[in-house]
Amino acid sequence: MNDFNIRNATIIDGSGGPAKQTDLGIKDCRIAEIGQVGSADSELDAAGNCLAPGLIDTHAHDDGAFLKHPDMTFKLSQGVTTVVNGNCGFSAIPLDNNGDVSKGSGGILAGIESGFTDLEGYFSAVLARKPAINNMMLVGHNTVRSLVMGSQRRAPSSKELSAMVDHVDRAMEQGACGFSTGLIYRPGRYSETEEIIELARVAQPYGGLYTTHMRNEGDRLLEAIDETLKIGKEANIHAHISHHKAAGKQNWGKVKSSLEKINAALATGQQISLDVYPYTAGSGRMIEYFNLDNINRQLAEVIRLASCPAFREYEGRMLKDIATEKGIDIVHLVHEILTSPKGDRTICIQFIIDETDIETNLRWQDMMVGSDGIPDLNGSPHPRLFGTFPRILGHYVRDKQLLSLTDAVRRMTSLAASTFGLNQRGLIKQGYWADLVLFNPDTVADAATYDEPKKLATGIEAVFVNGKLAYRNGEYTQSGSGQMLRYKRESYKAL
Ligand code: ZN
Ligand code: CU
């Protein structure tokens, strides 16, 4: 007897192959039968809807959200059943017992508290809260470096380097999928290429990844790609470029040249992959983007505030509108915000990307999708937090026909699962974990906008996580069946 049967759905199995209308049975967390299915405790007639493997967010900053918002509604409601966390060099671990991770992560990892020091401790803490979805972790360079060296602007001593190596190694040993950097951020930006190569090498024996928010995504994008390829090559490790983009008007179109460089590297046999988010605005910690002694006016003009603990009334507004209203210079406004108490925790949204570049990225054969959402639900977050995946399925697949539905699903499921080492996930296949999303291909769409960023997507009919119905009729079912995943291994089980 199955736990659940889904009848008459159009099954898109995640392989990229043709869709097929048939029945599927779930039993004991797994996909038990496809085609002829026996009886079940519950059934759902899904005629007219598509059933796909649960979507995988390859680029998330939900390390803290798993503790603070274990319902993970902002991801679950998009059909996402697994996220890869610890990106851009910021991870929940390692942490020392009295450590304040928010110092190192600058508000990106909202919600982290102490009580654990390593990956296993973090995994147990999350599992105790019964999370809705699955979590795969990277170990972040900024976090490791802050822990070992504070905010030192120099190369590590050999003793410091070996302490960093030990932290990365321990995380890999406990199941992280790789080592991430955020080389525009502090303190990552103080590191030289050699340091990164040494640390990426630690992930190599585990077959892990090196993922990177590169040193530059604008004027020096191509040099940053060269650095990434060099690190991948010298550490002999799969390099994954996060949120591939060309930032700033003067750089629009450059993603073509960077994809050419990547194609050339792939042709030599180097392992390299990428993800993108489907929006023309980025988002991050505002203080990282400005030099307070020489504030970039052009950048300030295209910024909107997401979270602004110093001035909550500014949230959701463009800096230029606030400056006009107050009758002050925008440069002055930026200075005032960033130097106020808690000003360093301001998260901004910057409109710096060209739509054509997003399309170029999505046309690239193996482009994956990562939300890069920053889960500060108090403010007015970038809509990518709630909208990324339905936006791909609705806007880019159905409306713009930029890629086919089966291929889009492949990139958001099996391709992501094989790249990030998610065992027996990412395909609708007998014996695989029953992570599934049922959606209406005619209505699936993102509803979150810059003005209303927390609106749940439409057309996501049901989501299953490890065989349990987790989302139905626009609501989380309190299933709590998410697992803590370990790279290419079985999931972590709390003692
Ligand atoms: Zn990033
Ligand atoms: Cu990121």
Side-chain angles (χ1 to χ4, degrees), residues 75-388:
K75 293 288 160 74
L76 182 64
S77 60
Q78 300 183 54
V80 169
T81 55
T82 301
V83 298
V84 179
N85 277 321
N87 276 287
C88 299
F90 298 113
S91 53
I93 51 89
L95 186 62
D96 67 27
N97 255 328
N98 356 309
D100 174 8
V101 81
S102 65
K103 258 196 265 162
S105 71
I108 287 185
L109 298 181
I112 299 253
E113 53 210 81
S114 212
F116 52 83
T117 57
D118 61 0
L119 188 60
E120 289 189 353
Y122 167 72
F123 277 168
S124 315
V126 174
L127 282 176
R129 287 163 168 84
K130 302 208 179 313
I133 63 174
N134 306 313
N135 181 13
M136 171 62 88
M137 289 283 293
L138 291 151
V139 57
H141 175 237
N142 291 318
T143 306
V144 168
R145 201 181 208 268
S146 304
L147 188 61
V148 172
M149 300 176 61
S151 47
Q152 296 289 334
R153 304 182 179 207
R154 56 165 174 80
S157 67
S158 59
K159 204 174 147 210
E160 287 163 339
L161 184 62
S162 92
M164 291 197 276
V165 163
D166 287 349
H167 281 302
V168 176
D169 190 56
R170 188 164 167 79
M172 293 304 300
E173 203 233 325
Q174 293 186 345
C177 63
F179 170 66
S180 81
T181 56
L183 297 176
I184 66 150
Y185 297 115
R186 278 175 282 254
R189 66 167 76 148
Y190 308 132
S191 62
E192 281 167 23
T193 309
E194 278 312 306
E195 174 183 332
I196 308 301
I197 292 170
E198 288 306 319
L199 293 172
R201 269 199 186 118
V202 182
Q204 195 276 344
Y206 297 92
L209 294 148
Y210 168 64
T211 75
T212 181
H213 178 152
M214 296 186 294
R215 212 176 279 277
N216 194 293
E217 298 182 312
D219 296 347
R220 296 177 60 80
L221 170 66
L222 300 179
E223 291 86 338
I225 296 270
D226 289 340
E227 182 187 33
T228 304
L229 294 174
K230 178 178 175 184
I231 293 164
K233 207 168 182 177
E234 296 200 5
N236 189 23
I237 192 167
H238 179 142
H240 180 89
I241 295 171
S242 301
H243 42 62
H244 183 233
K245 68 168 78 69
K249 211 167 203 165
Q250 68 277 18
N251 298 306
W252 289 357
K254 259 194 198 172
V255 295
K256 280 203 182 117
S257 316
S258 80
L259 288 172
E260 273 165 26
K261 275 182 180 283
I262 287 155
N263 286 335
L266 283 168
T268 69
Q270 189 169 354
Q271 282 187 289
I272 181 133
S273 53
L274 307 93
D275 66 64
V276 70
Y277 51 76
Y279 293 88
T280 56
S283 181
R285 191 184 182 199
M286 187 161 142
I287 202 159
E288 301 281 1
Y289 305 123
F290 288 99
N291 171 356
L292 285 178
D293 300 326
N294 183 16
I295 287 171
N296 181 340
R297 178 179 298 273
Q298 200 196 340
L299 178 61
E301 299 279 350
V302 295
I303 282 184
R304 181 180 174 120
L305 294 173
S307 307
C308 187
F311 301 95
R312 287 283 178 201
E313 65 277 21
Y314 294 171
E315 288 175 348
R317 302 190 63 195
M318 296 292 294
L319 288 176
K320 58 182 177 197
D321 295 339
I322 304 168
T324 309
E325 188 186 280
K326 297 186 72 179
I328 58 171
D329 187 46
I330 197 165
V331 163
H332 186 85
L333 177 65
V334 170
H335 198 272
E336 185 186 9
I337 292 170
L338 293 177
T339 55
S340 293
K342 294 194 198 164
D344 62 331
R345 298 203 188 167
T346 307
I347 304 285
C348 67
I349 296 171
Q350 58 280 17
F351 293 85
I352 48 170
I353 303 165
D354 187 23
E355 176 63 30
T356 307
D357 283 352
I358 295 174
E359 295 182 4
T360 302
N361 268 320
L362 286 174
R363 277 200 188 91
W364 194 74
Q365 66 276 10
D366 284 329
M367 184 61 60
M368 286 179 248
V369 180
S371 71
D372 204 8
I374 300 170
D376 182 350
L377 302 178
N378 291 324
S380 196
H382 189 306
R384 65 191 183 185
L385 181 65
F386 284 78
T388 293

Side-chain angles (χ1 to χ4, degrees), residues 357-429:
D357 283 352
I358 295 174
E359 295 182 4
T360 302
N361 268 320
L362 286 174
R363 277 200 188 91
W364 194 74
Q365 66 276 10
D366 284 329
M367 184 61 60
M368 286 179 248
V369 180
S371 71
D372 204 8
I374 300 170
D376 182 350
L377 302 178
N378 291 324
S380 196
H382 189 306
R384 65 191 183 185
L385 181 65
F386 284 78
T388 293
F389 293 85
R391 183 165 173 79
I392 296 288
L393 295 172
H395 183 69
Y396 288 102
V397 171
R398 182 186 57 238
D399 300 344
K400 300 204 86 170
Q401 303 193 341
L402 208 69
L403 62 173
S404 71
L405 180 55
T406 50
D407 193 41
V409 168
R410 174 187 69 88
R411 296 184 201 188
M412 299 189 288
T413 58
S414 68
L415 180 61
S418 60
T419 303
F420 289 88
L422 316 182
N423 247 5
Q424 300 189 307
R425 298 182 195 271
L427 285 172
I428 294 188
K429 190 173 167 183

